[in-house]
Amino acid sequence: MTKSVDILVVGGGIIGLMSAFYAARSGARVTLAEQHFPGTQEGSSAEHVRMWRTMYNEIEFSEMAFQSGSLYTEIESQAGVKLLHYHGLLNFGSETDYTPEGTLLDPIQTLNSMNKTYKLLDKKEIEKQYPFKNLPDHYVGIFQPDNAVIDVKTTINTAINLCKSHGVNFLSRKKLLKIDNNFSGVKSTFEDGDVIHSRKIILAMGPYTNEVLKPSFDIELNLLFWDMCFSYYRLDGSIENYPMWFQFDKPHNGYSSLFYGFPEVEFARPGFCRIAVDWASHTFSDIAQRYYAPPRIDIEIVRNFVKDHIIGLDSAPVDVGRAVMAHFPDNGCLLDFLPKNFPHYQNVVVCAAGWAFKFAPLFGKICADLALEKNEFKHNISTLSIDRPQRILSKPRLIDIAKFMH
Ligand code: BEZ
């Protein structure tokens, strides 16, 4: 089969779905191809909960979170659904080197510059107000109310419905192998032999991005994958006030001490809290090396933390799950065209990496605007640029390599 569309979106996770929705809402003929099914569990959009988190070291990320929050709210009112469940976020612990979540205290500066309210707590106040015990005396906490648990399944289903109501054509079990890009647009060739011609393509393939960039352009993003594991812990009924939280501390016995937890929410596992370490023992740079089954150590260190420091929970992990996560060395996200040295680079929009579910409506809208050449929005995507150092791994054929070297 050969067909032709305005915009082809590849990837049926939340970023691809939001991109397809915004592009179709602007009137484009959009097809979304996904190697599994829209709302796939094989990528970074798996499972029930994500954080809409606004405390960042970098003000650009906090600003993007708030912009994205406004779009979430807009979708909520348009679709008559609730996607963000506000519980606030408690970051507590001690200062550390830069972690995948930034640092404990630097976001204070960001919050001050954005005129956002927050509350500072000492160890005694943390233990009095929240269900933690035996914390070191030097621990401090910051509570910020503008943070929410994202209902992942409802967000995905809403995005699928919005796509459908705006005429997006879904192709499931459709694996993209290669794209050819020239002055007339993009030719995409799929594993089943089908070919789709489009004016523009949006690659929202998360951890699978290199599988297409490499054969198509001989470039590879410098991605490191984590199979992030988490478990649900049963509430014993003695405590009601479980916050959404992150604990910062230095690594212990070689293992990360960056733990996080979600409150009980009825759309995940009623009667349980999801708790995990923001780390993975198994990291890999080829998605084919994924284990799927959670490694025991990733679950064990969390179980010990729960036993030693959290009250109101059974310390037996139940319902262990995982989601694959793609990291850049700078922990950032990527949303850009192909590198500028490629001819017709603006035909290809790439969005990959980072903890981006919270940014999904914003990133989807930006991907769509870039593909639709809607420059009037003047999105500032410099923090997300593909040209930043260390973003590209292998020597690109058509790119000035010196630009990517330190
Ligand atoms: C985040 O929102 O950035 C995040 C939440 C939980 C675990 C890791 C990252």
Side-chain angles (χ1 to χ4, degrees), residues 108-175:
I108 291 178
Q109 217 173 324
T110 305
L111 294 171
N112 286 340
S113 2
M114 296 180 76
N115 280 326
K116 299 289 178 191
T117 55
Y118 57 88
K119 198 169 67 181
L120 295 175
L121 302 99
D122 62 19
K123 164 223 148 85
K124 278 202 185 119
E125 289 163 324
I126 300 170
E127 290 187 349
K128 193 164 158 218
Q129 294 177 34
Y130 299 103
F132 298 102
K133 64 179 180 188
N134 303 327
L135 299 178
D137 287 342
H138 65 280
Y139 267 28
V140 291
I142 310 168
F143 179 81
Q144 215 280 324
D146 305 318
N147 287 269
V149 182
I150 306 174
D151 178 342
V152 166
K153 300 286 184 213
T154 306
T155 306
I156 284 176
N157 288 336
T158 303
I160 290 175
N161 291 337
L162 287 169
C163 282
K164 286 184 177 159
S165 62
H166 287 84
V168 173
N169 175 36
F170 283 120
L171 300 175
S172 296
R173 290 209 173 107
K174 201 85 183 162
K175 187 171 167 58

Side-chain angles (χ1 to χ4, degrees), residues 65-372:
F66 279 105
Q67 285 164 11
S68 184
S70 304
L71 294 175
Y72 265 111
T73 310
E74 202 176 285
I75 292 174
E76 286 181 321
S77 60
Q78 274 169 18
V81 290
K82 190 164 162 60
L83 306 177
L84 300 185
H85 295 250
Y86 284 82
H87 289 263
L89 176 64
L90 173 71
N91 281 355
F92 69 95
S94 65
E95 263 307 33
T96 56
D97 292 337
Y98 194 83
T99 75
E101 298 308 312
T103 56
L104 177 63
L105 298 177
D106 288 317
I108 291 178
Q109 217 173 324
T110 305
L111 294 171
N112 286 340
S113 2
M114 296 180 76
N115 280 326
K116 299 289 178 191
T117 55
Y118 57 88
K119 198 169 67 181
L120 295 175
L121 302 99
D122 62 19
K123 164 223 148 85
K124 278 202 185 119
E125 289 163 324
I126 300 170
E127 290 187 349
K128 193 164 158 218
Q129 294 177 34
Y130 299 103
F132 298 102
K133 64 179 180 188
N134 303 327
L135 299 178
D137 287 342
H138 65 280
Y139 267 28
V140 291
I142 310 168
F143 179 81
Q144 215 280 324
D146 305 318
N147 287 269
V149 182
I150 306 174
D151 178 342
V152 166
K153 300 286 184 213
T154 306
T155 306
I156 284 176
N157 288 336
T158 303
I160 290 175
N161 291 337
L162 287 169
C163 282
K164 286 184 177 159
S165 62
H166 287 84
V168 173
N169 175 36
F170 283 120
L171 300 175
S172 296
R173 290 209 173 107
K174 201 85 183 162
K175 187 171 167 58
L176 177 65
L177 294 183
K178 189 171 185 293
I179 60 181
D180 296 291
N181 182 26
N182 62 39
F183 68 94
S184 65
V186 182
K187 175 184 162 200
S188 301
T189 307
F190 291 86
E191 198 175 47
D192 58 7
D194 282 356
V195 168
I196 296 181
H197 293 277
S198 56
R199 278 197 296 114
K200 304 284 170 117
I201 190 168
I202 298 172
L203 298 178
M205 302 172 66
Y208 301 92
T209 311
N210 282 335
E211 292 193 340
V212 166
L213 287 185
K214 182 101 169 94
S216 307
F217 303 106
D218 198 20
I219 57 171
E220 251 183 300
L221 301 176
N222 191 6
L223 294 173
L224 184 69
F225 303 119
W226 289 14
D227 229 343
M228 293 194 69
C229 306
F230 38 79
S231 338
Y232 284 89
Y233 288 83
R234 191 190 309 272
L235 292 152
D236 68 14
S238 63
I239 305 279
E240 300 230 318
N241 185 23
Y242 274 86
M244 192 163 81
W245 57 271
F246 258 101
Q247 186 213 250
F248 290 74
D249 209 336
K250 297 187 176 58
H252 183 63
N253 291 337
Y255 298 123
S256 170
S257 293
L258 186 61
F259 296 105
Y260 67 90
F262 286 90
E264 176 195 16
V265 283
E266 39 88 25
F267 50 86
R269 183 83 161 87
F272 290 76
C273 281
R274 182 180 132 178
I275 302 179
V277 63
D278 190 353
W279 172 80
S281 57
H282 175 52
T283 60
F284 44 103
S285 49
D286 175 354
I287 192 67
Q289 291 162 359
R290 192 171 175 198
Y291 285 166
Y292 290 94
R296 190 183 173 119
I297 186 66
D298 301 37
I299 304 299
E300 256 337 283
I301 55 176
V302 181
R303 178 185 203 149
N304 289 334
F305 178 80
V306 169
K307 188 159 51 67
D308 295 343
H309 295 295
I310 307 193
I311 54 177
L313 296 175
D314 286 351
S315 62
V318 183
D319 283 356
V320 173
R322 83 290 177 277
V324 67
M325 153 77 192
H327 281 278
F328 280 119
D330 63 5
N331 281 313
C333 305
L334 162 66
L335 197 178
D336 204 346
F337 296 114
L338 279 183
K340 294 189 180 47
N341 310 50
F342 282 87
H344 317 292
Y345 67 93
Q346 288 176 321
N347 288 345
V348 183
V349 178
V350 186
C351 187
W355 278 289
F357 207 103
K358 61 180 83 62
F359 302 126
L362 178 69
F363 283 9
K365 187 163 192 325
I366 297 176
C367 284
D369 287 346
L370 295 183
L372 294 162

Side-chain angles (χ1 to χ4, degrees), residues 36-79:
H36 302 287
F37 294 91
T40 173
Q41 294 293 292
E42 307 308 315
S44 304
S45 298
E47 230 264 333
H48 295 283
V49 286
R50 289 290 184 283
M51 290 185 186
W52 178 71
R53 183 170 80 74
T54 59
M55 279 196 274
Y56 280 93
N57 283 34
E58 305 83 2
I59 190 161
E60 298 88 342
F61 278 83
S62 291
E63 283 171 350
M64 286 191 305
F66 279 105
Q67 285 164 11
S68 184
S70 304
L71 294 175
Y72 265 111
T73 310
E74 202 176 285
I75 292 174
E76 286 181 321
S77 60
Q78 274 169 18

Side-chain angles (χ1 to χ4, degrees), residues 58 60-61 64 330 332-333 380-385 388 391:
E58 305 83 2
E60 298 88 342
F61 278 83
M64 286 191 305
D330 63 5
C333 305
N380 179 0
I381 50 170
S382 52
T383 20
L384 308 172
S385 135
R388 287 170 64 198
R391 283 289 164 91

